[in-house]
Amino acid sequence: MNTLSIYRFKQWLKEGESPLALTLFRIAKSIRHFELPTPRLINKVLYGLHKTLCTQWQAFTHLIFYVPAFKGRLESYGKRTLLYGGLPFFSGPLTMRIGNDCRISGQTTFSGRTNSDNPTLEVGNNVDICWQTTIAVGNKVIIGDNVRIAGQGFLCGYPGHPIDPTERALGKPELDSQVGDIILEQDVWLGSRVSIIGNVTVGEGTIVASGSVVTKSLPSFVLAAGNPAKVIKKLDVNALNTIKEEIRYEA
């Protein structure tokens, strides 16, 4: 029976009005939705077993494979590196350095511009880079200490294509004028799906709201939002410094 015949049979089974089609369809549904009548206690035990096995396997592969393999791609690295969800994807001639206590999702992409001399990504201490984040380094991207980048962030140091449609159709790379550095100073927090374009500095302690597109530099200790991102309000620097001092004292 070829693929077309199978498709037609399925359509007849789903849409047929004859007693035979209706009977066969009910039998197929009952087989498809068959369940074992397991007690609730057994269900909980099986789920606990599943979580335990998955957690132990993830810890094992993290320890003996993913972290060592990740460090093998780095120029330098600090202590207590944590990867979760696998190994990040690397593209291009990227030099990457990270500090201590960095937590990085395995569903992350790091790329370096092919036409740059030495595209470099510097990541400070105590930095979170969450799932499905992409960091495209044109020349330089610097991420300061205590920075938080939420899921699906995009740091675009180079676009990958020229503006001119003819050159783009010919597969030529972007122009040097389209490439820019990105600097996230310490304590910056980027919400989910924040995009940052090259030639931008985000000042210390600034928070960028989810879904924003940052096309110009932002000052320190402000809340910014929108497309393009604009300053919404200033943050209370004294309150932030008090919190930081309390954290240092408790540590």
Side-chain angles (χ1 to χ4, degrees), residues 58-72 83 86-87:
Q58 289 171 359
F60 178 72
T61 54
H62 174 270
L63 178 65
I64 71 163
F65 181 76
Y66 288 122
V67 171
F70 179 62
K71 289 179 177 179
L83 288 178
L87 190 67

Side-chain angles (χ1 to χ4, degrees), residues 33 40 45 49 102 112 127 130 137 145 152 162 181 193 213 231 239:
H33 296 285
R40 182 175 176 78
V45 169
L49 179 62
C102 289
V127 172
C130 291
V137 182
D145 295 343
Q152 298 181 320
D181 297 339
R193 304 181 307 282
V213 179
V231 174

Side-chain angles (χ1 to χ4, degrees), residues 3 5-6 13 24 36-37 66 72 87 113 115 124-125 127 142 145 166 172 179 200 204 213 221 225 231 242:
T3 304
S5 299
I6 294 174
L13 200 62
L24 291 176
L36 291 174
Y66 288 122
L87 190 67
R113 184 184 181 227
N115 294 341
N125 300 317
V127 172
I142 298 178
D145 295 343
T166 302
K172 293 185 178 182
V179 179
V200 160
E204 176 184 356
V213 179
F221 299 108
V231 174
T242 299

Side-chain angles (χ1 to χ4, degrees), residues 155-166:
L155 276 59
C156 180
Y158 70 99
H161 301 286
I163 296 175
D164 184 87
T166 302

Side-chain angles (χ1 to χ4, degrees), residues 106-242:
Q107 299 177 9
T108 302
T109 297
F110 301 109
S111 71
R113 184 184 181 227
T114 304
N115 294 341
S116 293
D117 292 335
N118 184 29
T120 302
L121 172 58
E122 299 275 358
V123 180
N125 300 317
N126 189 29
V127 172
D128 282 347
I129 301 177
C130 291
W131 67 288
Q132 293 185 353
T133 290
T134 296
I135 301 178
V137 182
N139 293 315
K140 179 174 62 178
V141 173
I142 298 178
I143 300 175
D145 295 343
N146 310 316
V147 167
R148 300 291 183 265
I149 302 176
Q152 298 181 320
F154 183 34
L155 276 59
C156 180
Y158 70 99
H161 301 286
I163 296 175
D164 184 87
T166 302
E167 293 185 352
R168 191 164 60 243
L170 293 173
K172 293 185 178 182
E174 69 285 320
L175 303 177
D176 290 340
S177 60
Q178 296 175 260
V179 179
D181 297 339
I182 297 174
I183 299 175
L184 306 182
E185 296 183 351
Q186 66 178 13
D187 298 310
V188 165
W189 176 16
L190 305 182
S192 301
R193 304 181 307 282
V194 168
S195 296
I196 297 184
I197 311 303
N199 286 323
V200 160
T201 295
V202 180
E204 176 184 356
T206 284
I207 300 173
V208 184
S210 297
S212 300
V213 179
V214 183
T215 60
K216 295 181 180 180
S217 294
L218 297 171
S220 299
F221 299 108
V222 298
L223 172 63
N227 180 8
K230 298 180 180 179
V231 174
I232 303 300
K233 67 176 183 178
K234 294 183 179 180
L235 301 176
D236 188 340
V237 180
N238 294 327
L240 292 173
N241 288 335
T242 299

